[in-house]
Amino acid sequence: MTPSELAEARDALVTAAQRFARTEIAPHASAWDAAGEFPRALYKRAAELGFLGLGYPEAYGGTPAPRALRVALSRTLARHAAAGGTLSSLMSHGIGLPPVIALGSEALKREVVPEVLAGERISALAITEPGGGSDVAALKTHARREGDDYVVNGEKIFITSGMRADWITLAVRTDPASKGAGGISLLLVPGDSRGLSRTRLDKMGWLASDTAHLRFDEVRVPARYLLGEEHKGFRAIMGNFNSERYGIASSALGYAEACYDEALAWAQQRQAFGSALVEHQVIRHKLVDMQQRIQATGAWLDHVVAQADAGINDAAWVASVCMLKNQATQTFQFCADAGVQILGGMGFMRGTVVERLYREVKVLTIGGGTEEIMKELAARQLGVV
Ligand SMILES: Cc1cc2nc3c(=O)[nH]c(=O)nc-3n(C[C@H](O)[C@H](O)[C@H](O)COP(=O)(O)OP(=O)(O)OC[C@H]3O[C@@H](n4cnc5c(N)ncnc54)[C@H](O)[C@@H]3O)c2cc1C
């Protein structure tokens, strides 16, 4: 794609995504939060509009696209839907499917991917365990080989789309003698497997998302659902984190923009001491501080994604992705806090964008790798230690 073709495609995508987010998600966001879920039909609708399949191979029902377009999509949906719970579950295939596409057999890909991209099946990724999420190499859920099956026992926690997922991309220990990163594999588990039980988790935010605790009790999974080589899953898990992290950065940026949009509109019409809030220097400076962070983060995001589209994947790039995730989530934290402050009491009321996003921002500094772990990884990739 030439730069002008990319710009044209981005404009068309942003317009379509904005319309979808504004008319088909934003008006329902509070009601879906109150209900604790959104209609399953939304997956099909997002698929019809081409959003679920963007960036996936045509052979499995996707539309190949550069990463620049995928992040433009997540940023736009975040900005105009401003509903993290709905979007995190709607797009959970973004972390569940890449290992299937990268490592699954041709037959498996044909069985699984088209239905997910059509919005007919839901995909989730399950790595975190009750014993810990940051130290992935210490995971305990295990799968032993018995004939043509693996038999899975263990637990996963905080799994996005965990209640409704039809396919669970699961990190398991297949070599019982191993303790660290060696001996970990990825297995695709059908959601209707016997011995799999799910418990819904109550949360601070992302209320419309079906976050779950999963228990595996002698769950038999056909061995053909192994993704890639046995005992070699750790590397794939780590590689998957990079795209998840710049994806989270693009969403965080969109949510920061949503806070800015609402705060600006409010400050322009709200009167205090005889003039609009924006006429008070402290308020307009706060808005500029928000924009300063948004624009800096946006430029960094574009740079990191352009590097990825150019095939760059070295240590400096991985460090940049980790730091970008922190930069974007800190930008969102700043904008959510400033947004609530500018709206005053109204910013504390259910129904405003900033109130919802203020409750949702924290999870982005935890999920996909915590702020502390991002710094640890960046330090190592930069050669600091
Ligand atoms: C709403 C939600 C949705 C999620 N969705 C998914 C999902 O779909 N799939 C999935 O697999 N997981 C998911 N997660 C889990 C998420 O990825 C983990 O919560 C995260 O990786 C942190 O793991 P933990 O909660 O076990 O914290 P821990 O690993 O126990 O860490 C606790 C604290 O200690 C800090 N810490 C840990 N190690 C170090 C260190 N070496 N140096 C300094 N500080 C350290 C951490 O930064 C953190 O602040 C989700 C979480 C939430 C809240």
Side-chain angles (χ1 to χ4, degrees), residues 143 145 150 174-175 183-185 226-233:
R145 184 75 190 247
Y150 282 99
T174 35
D175 178 0
I184 291 175
S185 304
L226 178 72
L227 300 173
E229 276 184 72
E230 196 180 45
H231 311 329
K232 297 264 169 70

Side-chain angles (χ1 to χ4, degrees), residues 39-113:
R40 238 187 122 120
L42 195 69
Y43 288 92
K44 275 206 168 168
R45 181 67 185 136
E48 272 166 26
L49 294 168
F51 299 145
L52 297 193
L54 191 76
Y56 292 89
E58 218 165 356
Y60 314 115
T63 310
R67 291 168 184 81
L69 289 186
R70 295 181 68 175
V71 297
L73 175 65
S74 51
R75 180 174 172 178
T76 305
L77 291 177
R79 179 174 186 170
H80 298 286
T86 297
L87 291 178
S88 61
S89 280
L90 185 67
M91 304 307 268
S92 63
H93 70 297
I95 52 176
L97 272 193
V100 180
I101 289 170
L103 304 168
S105 67
E106 189 55 32
L108 184 60
K109 285 191 264 198
R110 291 198 181 276
E111 178 183 348
V112 173
V113 181

